[in-house]
Amino acid sequence: MTHYRTNLRDLEFNLFEVNRLGDYSTDEPFDDFDAATMRALLGEVDRLAREDFAASFEEADRTELELVDGEVVLPDAVKRSLDAFYTGDWDLFGLPRSLGGAGAPPSLVRAMQELLVGANPSVYFYVIGQLMAKVIDAVGTPEQRARFAMPMAERHWGGTMVLTEPDAGSDVGAGVTKAIHVEGDEYLIEGVKRFITSGEHDYAENIVHLVLARRPGAPAGTKGLSMFIVPKWLVNEDGTLGERNGVVCTRIEHKMGIRGSTTCELTFGAERPCLGYLVGGVHEGIRQMFHVIEHARMLIGIKSTATLSTAYLNALEFAKERHQGADLTEWRDKEAPRVPIIRHPNVRRMLMTQKAFAEGLRALYMYTTWVQDQVELHPDEPHWAQLDDLLLPLVKGYSSERAYELLGQCLQVLGGSGFTQDYPMEQYIRDAKIDTLYEGTTGIQALDLFFRKVVKDQGQTLTKLAESILECVKAGGDADPFAVERELLGAALDDVQVQVGAMVGALMAAQQEPAEIYKPGLQANGLLESMAELVIAWRMLVHAEVATAALGSAGDDDRAFYEGKVAAARWFCAQVLPGIALRRQRAEREDGALMELDTAAF
C-alpha cells in the first residue's frame, strides 16, 4: 500500500452528476470525448497515481539532490514514475491538438492533475514543460512553435517559468536581468534568477526556460519586461541539439518540503553567452507570462486540495482502525470496551471539518474548471473568461491557506504517530506550505482579487456571480429540506456585499485622503476568505440537492456517499458561513490605526 488515498468517486460526482460534463463533451472542441471514455481515462489515471506516481513519494523526499558541475541527477524511482507517465501518453491530455495533444476538456485535465499532483507533487512538477509548450504555441512565432513547442511536446522536454530575482522577490517589475539585442528575435540574457522549479535535472534531454528580462532603455516596472525562450541546449534549425547555452544552475535550494523537485538558482551569461529568443517577436512579457502564471496558480490550488483530501482519507482510515478509550457515554465505567477513535466526539468533529473542506475545495476548483470549459465552448461570450479570472485567486489563495491549516488537524487525528515518518502526514505538511507562497502569496492574491477582479471590473462579474447564488437562495418550496441552509447562504451573500461595499467606500475616500487606501489593504485577505466560503457553500448546497435527488435509487455504497455529501453541506453552512458576518464587521470598523503604529512598537 502506498500513502495515496484518492477520492475518484467525488471527482466523478463533480464532473458528471453536478457539472454534467457528459452533456457537452461531444460538442466541439471536445467531440472526441464521451462520458464512458472519460470515466475510463480517470480510472486509469487513478491507478497510475496510486501505484506508479506514489511509489517514489518517499524516495523523492528523502534522497538529497546534489549539484555536480552544473548537473543534477534524479533518483531512479523518480525516473520510473516519469517513465510511467510518458509511456502511457498521459501528457497528451494536457496538450492542444495543434501540438498533437488530445484537446481534452479543461475540467477533465484538471481532474487528472489532482490525482497525479496529490500522489507526488515533486515528480509532477517535472512534467509541466507541456504548459510552457502550450504558451509558446499560443503566443510564439511560427518558427518558435516549430523549433521549440513541437519538440517540447513530442520529445518530452522540460520547461520552467523564470521570474523571481534575489533582490526583487514578489516585486517582479523590479527585476534587472538584462536582454541585449543581437539580431532578429535573438538576444543575449544576463542576470540571476532564483526559486526556479525544475530548473535543472537529467531526465529530459533539454529544458526550455521562459525568462522575463529587460532591454536597455525599457520602461521601469512590469511594462518594461519582455519574455524570452532560453533553452538549456541550443536547438539547430533541423531540430537537433547544438551547443550548451549559457544558462547554468549555480545553486539548489534546500527546502522544507517538495525536496524531490529541483528548485534552482539560475545564472545567465556568466561564463558563456546565453542566447534567448524574444517570444512572438513582441515586447509583451508580463502579458505573455500571465498565460503561464494563471495555469500555475490553478495547479497550486488543485495541489492543495489533493493533499488535504489524501490526508483526510488517511486520517479517516486510522480513526476507524485505532481503538482507544471508552465511548463517552460510558466514561465512568473503567471496564467499558475500547472503541475506534472515530466514536469520540472531538475526533469526529475534526474528521467532518476535514471532509467538508476537502470536498468543498474540490467543488470550488471543479466549478472553476467548468467555467473554463465554457470559455472554450463559447469563445464569443467574454463573461466566462471574466468569471474564471474572478474565481482564480479564490482557488489558489483560499485553498492553499485552508489546506495547510487543516493538514495539522489531519495529523492530530493520528496523535503522536502522525508526527513520525511512519505516516505521510508530516511530509504532506512540509510539501504543502509552499502553496501559500508559490505564484504570488495569499496577500498578493487578495489584492489582485479586490483591485483587479472587483474594482477594475466595476463589480460586474461579481454581481453576475451573486445573481447565480441568489437563485439558489430563493429555490426550494414549502417542504424544502435545505431551508435553513438557504437562509444561511442568503445572509452570507448579504454580508459579502456589505464587506465589498465598505472596502470600496474606503478606496473612493482615498482620492482625497490617500491613507484611506490602507483600509482595503488590511481587509483584503478577509474578503478573499469570505468570497471563497460563499462560493464553496453555494456549490456544496447544489451538491446536496443533486445527492438528495439521487438517494432514492442509490445502492448501499452510493447511499453512504450521497448522505455524506448532504451532511458535509449542512455542516459547512452551519459552522463556516457565520464567520463571514465577523469579517463584515471587521471591514466596516476598520480604522487603519495599525498603519499609524510606530514600527518600534512591534
Side-chain angles (χ1 to χ4, degrees):
M1 291 287 289
T2 62
H3 76 97
Y4 195 38
R5 307 288 182 268
T6 64
N7 199 336
L8 181 62
R9 181 67 182 88
D10 196 37
L11 278 171
E12 292 179 335
F13 176 76
N14 275 270
L15 287 170
F16 302 115
E17 297 181 62
V18 176
N19 295 341
R20 311 293 299 180
L21 175 58
D23 290 354
Y24 61 81
S25 62
T26 54
D27 298 338
E28 291 186 0
F30 309 137
D31 45 330
D32 286 341
F33 297 87
D34 56 37
T37 299
M38 290 188 288
R39 286 179 184 272
L41 289 170
L42 279 173
E44 281 301 304
V45 177
D46 182 79
R47 182 208 59 77
L48 174 73
R50 287 184 290 101
E51 297 176 7
D52 299 297
F53 249 58
S56 58
F57 178 71
E58 291 184 4
E59 185 168 337
D61 178 69
R62 299 174 194 178
T63 303
E64 187 74 17
L65 296 176
E66 295 183 1
L67 179 65
V68 180
D69 297 327
E71 302 287 338
V72 176
V73 177
L74 297 184
D76 289 341
V78 169
K79 293 178 179 178
R80 288 193 295 270
S81 292
L82 291 169
D83 286 344
F85 177 80
Y86 286 115
T87 299
D89 290 332
W90 295 111
D91 57 308
L92 298 181
F93 294 94
L95 289 170
R97 290 172 178 171
S98 58
L99 291 178
S107 54
L108 177 64
V109 174
R110 294 301 192 180
M112 292 176 168
Q113 284 182 336
E114 179 189 328
L115 294 167
L116 293 167
V117 77
N120 201 329
S122 292
V123 172
Y124 190 78
F125 289 157
Y126 289 111
V127 309
I128 59 174
Q130 60 183 249
L131 169 56
M132 314 309 159
K134 286 172 64 175
V135 172
I136 296 172
D137 183 57
V139 300
T141 64
E143 181 186 5
Q144 290 168 351
R145 291 197 290 271
R147 193 172 189 177
F148 297 105
M150 285 303 298
M152 290 180 75
E154 293 173 351
R155 294 154 66 177
H156 309 149
W157 287 358
T160 73
M161 55 187 296
V162 184
L163 291 80
T164 307
E165 298 186 13
D167 293 329
S170 295
D171 185 6
V172 175
V176 296
T177 295
K178 294 188 296 184
I180 303 168
H181 190 222
V182 179
E183 61 178 356
D185 65 352
E186 296 183 1
Y187 287 72
L188 292 176
I189 310 299
E190 297 178 359
V192 178
K193 300 280 189 174
R194 71 180 307 197
F195 299 148
I196 308 306
T197 300
S198 306
E200 168 58 38
H201 58 89
D202 69 332
Y203 184 79
E205 67 174 2
N206 203 4
I207 301 173
V208 175
H209 309 285
L210 293 182
V211 182
L212 289 183
R214 191 182 305 277
R215 295 164 293 126
T222 56
K223 292 182 179 180
L225 296 173
S226 298
M227 188 164 79
F228 299 87
I229 298 167
V230 180
K232 175 180 175 180
W233 294 90
L234 296 173
V235 182
N236 299 319
E237 292 186 3
D238 63 359
T240 60
L241 297 185
E243 297 180 353
R244 186 74 158 80
N245 201 8
V247 51
V248 179
C249 174
T250 43
R251 187 162 69 97
I252 295 180
E253 308 287 355
H254 295 280
K255 308 183 297 296
M256 167 182 169
I258 58 166
R259 293 175 175 173
S261 170
T262 49
T263 307
C264 301
E265 174 188 85
L266 294 179
T267 299
F268 300 83
E271 297 182 358
R272 68 174 71 185
C274 178
L275 193 61
Y277 303 85
L278 179 66
V279 176
V282 295
H283 300 288
E284 298 181 350
I286 199 67
R287 182 187 65 80
Q288 294 169 331
M289 186 62 84
F290 257 93
H291 288 282
V292 184
I293 292 171
E294 289 172 355
H295 280 280
R297 286 176 174 174
M298 188 73 184
L299 176 62
I300 296 307
I302 293 170
K303 172 184 177 293
S304 301
T305 301
T307 303
L308 176 58
S309 180
T310 184
Y312 156 64
L313 293 173
N314 272 277
L316 176 63
E317 184 177 288
F318 183 91
K320 289 179 177 179
E321 296 174 353
R322 172 67 169 171
H323 285 67
Q324 183 174 302
D327 190 274
L328 193 59
T329 59
E330 299 180 298
W331 67 278
R332 288 188 178 88
D333 184 357
K334 304 305 181 184
E335 301 299 325
R338 307 298 92 178
V339 298
I341 62 172
I342 196 172
R343 289 299 313 159
H344 299 318
N346 187 51
V347 173
R348 185 162 287 221
R349 176 192 61 81
M350 289 192 290
L351 290 171
M352 179 51 75
T353 304
Q354 296 158 28
K355 172 183 172 65
F357 275 100
E359 295 180 7
L361 296 180
R362 181 177 292 113
L364 171 63
Y365 96 71
M366 288 302 302
Y367 175 68
T368 306
T369 64
W370 177 82
V371 171
Q372 292 169 359
D373 288 350
Q374 308 315 305
V375 171
E376 296 197 23
L377 287 165
H378 309 289
D380 297 328
E381 299 178 15
H383 165 68
W384 296 115
Q386 293 162 356
L387 181 55
D388 181 34
D389 283 343
L390 179 69
L391 293 169
L392 185 57
L394 308 184
V395 173
K396 196 281 179 186
Y398 187 80
S399 299
S400 61
E401 288 287 348
R402 196 59 70 236
Y404 182 68
E405 171 190 321
L406 289 171
L407 285 169
Q409 195 182 92
C410 295
L411 186 152
Q412 188 78 9
V413 172
L414 276 68
S417 295
F419 199 64
T420 71
Q421 290 190 334
D422 296 338
Y423 294 89
M425 299 299 187
E426 61 86 27
Q427 186 175 336
Y428 288 161
I429 292 172
R430 290 188 290 104
D431 285 352
K433 182 54 202 168
I434 187 64
D435 298 345
T436 66
L437 310 174
Y438 260 147
E439 319 310 338
T441 63
T442 308
I444 290 173
Q445 303 298 318
L447 293 175
D448 173 68
L449 173 66
F450 179 68
F451 287 105
R452 292 187 65 248
K453 308 301 173 61
V454 175
V455 174
K456 189 176 181 181
D457 182 57
Q458 297 181 321
Q460 295 180 66
T461 305
L462 178 59
T463 297
K464 289 183 179 179
L465 177 63
E467 290 170 354
S468 296
I469 297 173
L470 188 60
E471 289 179 10
C472 181
V473 172
K474 293 182 176 180
D478 294 336
D480 179 20
F482 301 111
V484 171
E485 287 73 27
R486 293 188 207 281
E487 182 178 353
L488 289 165
L489 183 64
L493 177 59
D494 290 341
D495 288 333
V496 169
Q497 291 173 326
V498 173
Q499 193 174 353
V500 171
M503 294 171 64
V504 170
L507 180 63
M508 294 177 65
Q511 296 177 22
Q512 280 72 44
E513 295 290 338
E516 288 290 300
I517 201 169
Y518 289 136
K519 293 180 180 179
L522 288 164
Q523 293 297 321
N525 280 49
L527 178 64
L528 183 145
E529 292 173 358
S530 293
M531 285 181 59
E533 289 168 5
L534 176 68
V535 175
I536 289 171
W538 167 47
R539 298 316 300 166
M540 293 184 78
L541 189 50
V542 171
H543 286 201
E545 293 172 334
V546 173
T548 300
L551 271 170
S553 58
D556 289 343
D557 288 344
D558 273 345
R559 175 170 293 277
F561 173 80
Y562 291 134
E563 289 174 347
K565 299 302 290 185
V566 172
R570 292 192 191 280
W571 183 93
F572 195 93
C573 289
Q575 299 296 322
V576 178
L577 282 183
I580 295 177
L582 176 59
R583 297 195 197 99
R584 165 189 172 167
Q585 293 174 20
R586 290 172 180 165
E588 290 179 299
R589 296 172 182 173
E590 180 60 65
D591 60 6
L594 186 61
M595 299 305 297
E596 299 174 6
L597 185 64
D598 191 311
T599 55
F602 280 87

